[in-house]
Amino acid sequence: MTRGQWGCVVAPVAGVATGVLGSVLLAAVWRACDVGVNGAANGLALIFYGALLTIIATAWWGVLIGYVGRRSLPVALLGGMAGGAVMVWIFVALLQVPHGYRC
């Protein structure tokens, strides 16, 4: 299997994992801070937010594996993990407290 083919396998899996992790962490924050109308409203919002994060993370992983991975696969994987962590951090930080509510 070539590195390009690995990228086609790794990028979607890593993107979905990043999106799920971000959604799970945000759901935990919302639960702890008692944010939202009810569980159904929060769940619907998380589906849309998580899907957006998944798409962005998949593109990030795909670019790194596709371009950087040709020269150094370990560097591409480390960059993907670091980028994924930053994306999840920003995702949770921006959406943690809607409407300025502080817990």
Side-chain angles (χ1 to χ4, degrees):
M1 189 177 249
T2 65
R3 288 188 179 167
Q5 291 170 330
W6 273 111
C8 291
V9 173
V10 172
V13 172
V16 168
T18 302
V20 168
L21 175 65
S23 296
V24 167
L25 289 174
L26 186 60
V29 169
W30 283 357
R31 220 176 7 262
C33 294
D34 197 28
V35 172
V37 178
N38 57 34
N42 287 347
L44 185 61
L46 287 172
I47 288 172
F48 289 114
Y49 294 149
L52 179 62
L53 178 62
T54 299
I55 291 167
I56 294 168
T58 301
W60 171 255
W61 277 97
V63 167
L64 277 176
I65 299 293
Y67 291 104
V68 178
R70 292 180 188 168
R71 290 180 286 285
S72 177
L73 190 57
V75 170
L77 293 175
L78 287 173
M81 284 189 288
V86 168
M87 278 185 250
V88 168
W89 178 70
I90 291 170
F91 176 74
V92 173
L94 288 177
L95 297 173
Q96 176 184 4
V97 284
H99 310 297
Y101 176 75
R102 300 283 177 208
C103 65

